[in-house]
Amino acid sequence: MSTQALRPTGKVLPEHARAHHRSMVLQHLFHTGPVSRADLARATGLTRVTISDLVTSLQTDGLVTELGAAPGGRVGKPATLVGLRDDAFQVVAVDLTDDEHMHGAVLDVFGTVVERRSTPLDGRTGDAVVEALIGLCRDLVALATYRVLGVGVASPGVIDASGTVLEAPNRAWYEVPLAALVSEALGLPVHVGNDANAAVLGELTYGGASPDGLLALTVGEGVGAGIVLDGRLVAGHRHAAGELGHVTVVDDRDDVDDAPLGQAQTCACGRRGCLETVLSVPALRRRVAGLEERAAAVALASVGRRLGIVLAPVVSALNLADVVMSGPAELLAGPLRDTALATLRERTMPVISEGLSLRMTTLGEDGALSGAAVLVLSGQLGVS
Amino acid sequence: MSTQALRPTGKVLPEHARAHHRSMVLQHLFHTGPVSRADLARATGLTRVTISDLVTSLQTDGLVTELGAAPGGRVGKPATLVGLRDDAFQVVAVDLTDDEHMHGAVLDVFGTVVERRSTPLDGRTGDAVVEALIGLCRDLVALATYRVLGVGVASPGVIDASGTVLEAPNRAWYEVPLAALVSEALGLPVHVGNDANAAVLGELTYGGASPDGLLALTVGEGVGAGIVLDGRLVAGHRHAAGELGHVTVVDDRDDVDDAPLGQAQTCACGRRGCLETVLSVPALRRRVAGLEERAAAVALASVGRRLGIVLAPVVSALNLADVVMSGPAELLAGPLRDTALATLRERTMPVISEGLSLRMTTLGEDGALSGAAVLVLSGQLGVS
DNA sequence: AATAGTAAGGAAGGTCTACTAACAAATATG
DNA sequence: CATATTTGTTAGTAGACCTTCCTTACTATT
């Protein structure tokens, strides 16, 4: 059984193959650092001739440069190192997850934040948010010290492949072609993705997570998840993959002895017992408010158990390698995580749980932001 | 955000592009039936010239043939229909799901069973099963009336992309390179896949299920699932995706008022309360044995509720379009399915549940068998 | 019946891409 | 110092698809 697409889709022109090979070279340089042309040839399976040709074209485009002779005295002609230029471009990224402020940044090739700017939303919705977003992007573009490769936006809501926000109730956006609007205003390539999907891309690219079975769980005002399988983002039938926040986890019929968790709460979505009613920053803060440490740990553990119960079927169905959580570490990193992992191990078979890790992100608060940058790298250069 | 692979993998040679385009043409003919070259050009985006060239090469290989003029008097030169030859080849498929018998068949291009043969396992394990399998395949190859394109095998267990069975405890197979062994013995291409994965391929190709969010749940001695997302089979980090049978669903701490379900049972895997302890043919038969119809319906509904609870996180995380069940309809198709679907709708948000269907297979018992045939079609021709 | 318009399919020629083969340059090793 | 090894380039070849132009065959109109 091969891992290729089951159903061939779309024609492949020579130029597409060329772009693919360029991406392979960039990808290798991006993750491995400077190497020789001969090494690139061995890594990609292409010939040295073809690699030389590709490198020349990448040099012409200013993306890579020669970096002198490789150290280490081996037999044969010394290799010339080729590496990504760190002054080739920068990327503008904006994270719209927060309901109060838009957080933006200029990042360099390696995902390091060079400049930050934020704008308060001040209760704006709809077109006014789009206006404010464009303004913030203009400011950030002006702050960039090199060419801006593109703009990446991580937004809550359901977003399709073209960067149209199908629905984002918190911003009062419905069928808003956000990518097209911002791109039109700035004259730059713009890529828009769901914030949880951006977060998972951030983990994949900058967090060192596994490309063949990764789920990134973002806990903020609500809960969202992004999933990468076999190196591909899972979009879902209607672009709504990862909507784990409104799965029922507290059931009035169960849990009579799960005293710490209490009764099912009504959720903002109108239903009862959703994951978000227990696993969100406000809900967790309410839960631990005024409790002494031991009691707080028990309370967080009971939420962790529910998380484990929800994740167990997902982890089993997909045979995931990594689950990465982001959000306030003081709430998530301790008993909540430990209990979630223990519950996952209890409730899945060994072949599944043995290969699994559940951990906090190493990207801090910038998961979605750097993921938005990855949207640009991936969309413009095929690098992630 | 594009749907392309985030990380470019593997070089693309011109011959690969050519093979891809050949597959596109075959795929279109396979699903749409005979069409003109001009229609193929419009459908694929390739030019009429290129399509003519591809069709010529497919004719040379005996896979397609001209079928005379297209009916319907429109302006212009009448089109010549091109179609898949139904005498081009046949496929041999074997389903090893059953612990008692190996079920094999010869199928034509369109997945119709032409001949069937079965062999009792008689308690054999290990190499003896491989021997018996090879024998059955030989018989089936001899029964074929046209060239045999290849052999497809659907087996329980964890199977990697090369067709090596990493572990299949029921057959006492560990690290058995089954595809290589059978291929060596028969001199034919052999593709081996997990039985649940084969079943989902069967649903995809012959069951008309959605390619962008499909889960096929197979209920037999145990429970297995195969998943197709964005037209690709989900393999999992360690090739164990779909192992839903041993997720805990009955919890001694919960369910106090879920009287019909009873206490958690010990599972063959040594843990307690696995899905398989309530959702498997033996477990379901035990549960309804001796019950009158109403009581049986209540008992089946309680299992359906558990199934819904397990599926809710998976369906939400992946935003699935179709969940297709196979197994004994008298157990699965009634209250069990209805309750599972109702529970799914209760426990997921509308954007998820509105796009979801949960239904019985239309392929009867032959899901895995025809899926094994799809392994061959997909592997040899790129058609599914 | 003659003419115009439309569509299918094929032939010729050009471009792009990556390959193979052969070679020059530069170094370590015996 | 001669030889083996490795890097990177040059030159030529082959595959695949494209654009352009042409013939064929049919419908619609005068």
Side-chain angles (χ1 to χ4, degrees):
Chain A
M1 188 166 4
S2 78
T3 61
Q4 71 180 5
L6 295 166
R7 309 191 153 196
T9 357
K11 59 179 174 179
V12 181
L13 264 36
E15 67 213 70
H16 300 144
R18 181 73 163 183
H20 180 84
H21 293 153
R22 272 176 61 114
S23 293
M24 282 174 71
V25 170
L26 287 172
Q27 176 81 3
H28 196 77
L29 295 176
F30 183 75
H31 278 105
T32 317
V35 289
S36 70
R37 292 173 176 82
D39 284 336
L40 283 171
R42 279 185 286 268
T44 57
L46 296 165
T47 61
R48 294 200 307 274
V49 179
T50 303
I51 289 295
S52 284
D53 196 32
L54 287 166
V55 166
T56 305
S57 119
L58 291 168
Q59 276 178 306
T60 307
D61 294 356
L63 292 173
V64 308
T65 188
E66 292 199 345
L67 295 166
R74 300 190 315 284
V75 204
K77 172 175 170 178
T80 312
L81 291 180
V82 174
L84 273 188
R85 286 178 61 165
D86 56 3
D87 60 348
F89 57 81
Q90 290 173 335
V91 172
V92 166
V94 179
D95 179 4
L96 300 182
T97 306
D98 189 341
D99 282 340
E100 307 293 329
H101 295 81
M102 296 192 294
H103 298 285
V106 178
L107 297 91
D108 71 11
V109 195
F110 306 109
T112 308
V113 172
V114 177
E115 291 280 355
R116 287 183 193 271
R117 286 295 183 279
S118 293
T119 307
L121 271 171
D122 292 334
R124 272 177 288 219
T125 58
D127 292 347
V129 181
V130 177
E131 287 305 314
L133 171 62
I134 290 171
L136 177 59
C137 290
R138 273 196 223 282
D139 294 348
L140 289 164
V141 169
L143 287 167
T145 47
Y146 302 113
R147 177 169 79 91
V148 174
L149 182 68
V151 176
V153 179
S155 167
V158 179
I159 300 169
D160 74 9
S162 75
T164 295
V165 179
L166 302 179
E167 52 175 312
N170 289 2
R171 305 285 167 278
W173 281 341
Y174 299 94
E175 299 278 341
V176 176
L178 195 59
L181 291 171
V182 179
S183 178
E184 172 74 17
L186 299 177
L188 285 170
V190 176
H191 299 265
V192 179
N194 173 273
D195 50 356
N197 285 342
V200 78
L201 292 182
E203 293 299 332
L204 176 70
T205 302
Y206 299 118
S210 164
D212 44 44
L214 168 63
L215 186 148
L217 193 78
T218 305
V219 180
E221 294 299 307
V223 187
I227 302 175
V228 167
L229 297 177
D230 296 321
R232 288 164 186 273
L233 202 54
V234 176
H237 171 47
R238 295 189 178 178
H239 310 286
E243 293 289 349
L244 273 179
H246 299 281
V247 175
T248 305
V249 297
V250 187
D251 193 321
D252 291 325
R253 297 171 59 185
D254 299 343
D255 298 308
V256 227
D257 71 346
D258 200 355
L261 204 61
Q263 290 289 304
Q265 315 257 317
T266 301
C267 179
C269 75
R271 293 164 47 253
R272 289 171 58 80
C274 294
L275 181 60
E276 275 194 16
T277 63
V278 297
L279 184 64
S280 71
V281 174
L284 290 170
R285 289 212 198 285
R286 272 197 306 274
R287 185 169 296 276
V288 299
L291 294 183
E292 49 129 8
E293 194 169 331
R294 286 282 288 275
V298 171
L300 292 173
S302 73
V303 175
R305 177 153 183 276
R306 287 292 140 180
L307 175 59
I309 292 175
V310 172
L311 288 181
V314 179
V315 165
S316 294
L318 304 178
N319 186 203
L320 295 179
D322 286 330
V323 176
V324 179
M325 293 196 295
S326 60
E330 73 275 14
L331 294 171
L332 304 175
L336 197 158
R337 185 211 82 107
D338 297 343
T339 309
L341 182 56
T343 306
L344 267 174
R345 293 204 194 286
E346 267 170 42
R347 297 175 78 98
T348 57
M349 63 193 302
V351 68
I352 298 294
S353 61
E354 278 164 11
L356 177 71
S357 98
L358 169 65
R359 60 173 176 82
M360 287 299 293
T361 180
T362 54
L363 303 179
E365 307 256 301
D366 284 341
L369 195 69
S370 53
V374 174
L375 288 177
V376 178
L377 291 181
S378 170
Q380 297 301 117
L381 304 178
V383 169
S384 75
Chain B
M1 188 165 5
S2 78
T3 62
Q4 72 179 2
L6 296 165
R7 309 190 152 195
T9 359
K11 58 179 173 178
V12 180
L13 265 37
E15 66 213 73
H16 299 144
R18 182 72 165 183
H20 179 84
H21 293 152
R22 273 177 59 114
S23 293
M24 282 175 70
V25 170
L26 288 172
Q27 176 81 6
H28 196 77
L29 295 176
F30 184 73
H31 278 104
T32 316
V35 291
S36 70
R37 291 172 178 83
D39 284 336
L40 283 170
R42 280 184 284 266
T44 58
L46 296 164
T47 61
R48 293 200 309 271
V49 179
T50 304
I51 289 295
S52 285
D53 195 34
L54 287 165
V55 167
T56 304
S57 118
L58 291 168
Q59 277 179 304
T60 307
D61 294 356
L63 292 173
V64 309
T65 188
E66 292 199 344
L67 296 167
R74 303 187 315 283
V75 259
K77 174 175 170 179
T80 312
L81 291 179
V82 175
L84 273 188
R85 286 178 61 166
D86 56 1
D87 60 348
F89 58 80
Q90 290 172 334
V91 172
V92 166
V94 180
D95 179 5
L96 301 180
T97 305
D98 189 342
D99 283 339
E100 308 291 330
H101 294 81
M102 297 191 295
H103 299 285
V106 177
L107 297 92
D108 70 12
V109 196
F110 306 109
T112 308
V113 172
V114 177
E115 290 281 353
R116 288 182 193 272
R117 288 293 184 278
S118 293
T119 308
L121 272 171
D122 291 334
R124 272 177 289 219
T125 57
D127 292 348
V129 181
V130 178
E131 287 304 314
L133 171 61
I134 291 172
L136 177 59
C137 290
R138 272 196 222 284
D139 294 348
L140 289 164
V141 170
L143 287 167
T145 46
Y146 300 114
R147 178 169 79 92
V148 174
L149 183 68
V151 176
V153 179
S155 167
V158 179
I159 300 168
D160 74 8
S162 75
T164 295
V165 180
L166 302 179
E167 52 176 308
N170 290 2
R171 305 285 169 278
W173 281 342
Y174 300 94
E175 299 278 342
V176 176
L178 195 58
L181 290 172
V182 180
S183 179
E184 172 76 15
L186 300 178
L188 284 171
V190 176
H191 299 265
V192 179
N194 173 272
D195 51 356
N197 286 342
V200 78
L201 292 182
E203 293 300 332
L204 175 70
T205 302
Y206 300 118
S210 164
D212 44 42
L214 169 64
L215 186 149
L217 193 78
T218 305
V219 180
E221 294 298 308
V223 186
I227 302 176
V228 167
L229 297 177
D230 296 321
R232 289 165 184 272
L233 202 53
V234 176
H237 173 46
R238 295 188 178 178
H239 309 287
E243 292 290 348
L244 272 178
H246 299 281
V247 176
T248 305
V249 297
V250 187
D251 192 322
D252 291 326
R253 297 170 59 184
D254 299 344
D255 297 309
V256 226
D257 71 345
D258 200 355
L261 203 62
Q263 289 291 303
Q265 314 258 315
T266 301
C267 179
C269 75
R271 292 161 49 254
R272 289 170 58 80
C274 295
L275 181 59
E276 274 194 17
T277 64
V278 297
L279 183 63
S280 71
V281 173
L284 290 170
R285 288 212 199 285
R286 272 198 305 276
R287 185 170 297 276
V288 299
L291 294 182
E292 48 126 11
E293 193 169 332
R294 286 283 288 275
V298 171
L300 291 173
S302 72
V303 175
R305 178 155 183 275
R306 287 292 140 181
L307 176 59
I309 292 174
V310 172
L311 288 181
V314 178
V315 165
S316 294
L318 304 178
N319 186 203
L320 295 179
D322 284 331
V323 176
V324 180
M325 295 196 292
S326 60
E330 72 275 15
L331 293 171
L332 304 175
L336 197 158
R337 185 211 80 106
D338 298 342
T339 309
L341 183 55
T343 305
L344 268 173
R345 294 206 193 282
E346 266 172 43
R347 296 177 78 100
T348 56
M349 63 193 301
V351 68
I352 298 294
S353 62
E354 277 164 10
L356 177 70
S357 98
L358 169 64
R359 59 173 175 83
M360 288 299 293
T361 179
T362 53
L363 303 179
E365 308 256 301
D366 285 341
L369 195 70
S370 53
V374 175
L375 288 176
V376 178
L377 291 181
S378 170
Q380 298 301 118
L381 304 178
V383 168
S384 75

